[in-house]
Amino acid sequence: MDDPTATDGGIDPARLPEFEVLFSGAEISARIQELAREIADSGMQRLLVVAILKGSFVFAADLLRALHTVDVRPEVDFVTLSSYRKNQISSGQVSILRDVDLEVEGRDVLIIDDILESGRTLAFAKDLIWARGASRVSTCVLIEKAVPRAADIAADFKAFRCEDVFVVGYGMDLAYRFRELPFVGRVIS
Ligand code: IMP
Ligand code: MG
């Protein structure tokens, strides 16, 4: 990428770049089924799932359907958080763009996000849900990146770990593109 601060992510929109596939669609769906079982076995009651938009929308959709197959019947809501990420660089500030609608007080809540990197987004979401009076808060991410955390947080459930590379696909974007890819990969050219 020539200019990583360009609003197009330095990617020519007219050309489909090459990707290295890190986690294939088949690997992801097999792992999600295992995760659903782990979550079902964790004994959460009257579960409320809160998915963090936008990046987790594909993961959350597949995980929720896998949870259905193991008899978990949650209520589902969404929160849209912004980490003021310009392309691949995170600013460190998190803010709420759209809040949850449902009452959180007294509920067991499972927060779903796409990636745990610095940890600021997930820590912010967890604090928010605790502050709304949840009785139990668990977190689930598709990918935990092997980087030092700025916030002291670990995910209770995670599908995969990956090295410190910028990934796209399966809901995750680079400058709003590549969310539709059925795999997680990285742009190689
Ligand atoms: P954190 O707050 O630094 O943990 O970053 C988490 C958020 O940044 C995630 O919810 C993602 O939306 C985004 N993010 C972090 N790394 C990547 C990446 O490699 N590709 C796409 N989005 C990412
Ligand atoms: Mg995100």
Side-chain angles (χ1 to χ4, degrees), residues 55 83 85 90 94 113-122 145 165-168 172-173:
S83 56
R85 177 174 296 272
S90 168
V94 182
D113 202 5
D114 52 358
I115 296 192
L116 174 61
E117 190 178 61
S118 74
R120 288 188 192 100
T121 304
L122 203 59
K145 275 198 198 175
V165 292
F166 194 83
V167 298
V168 295
M172 294 172 288
D173 73 310

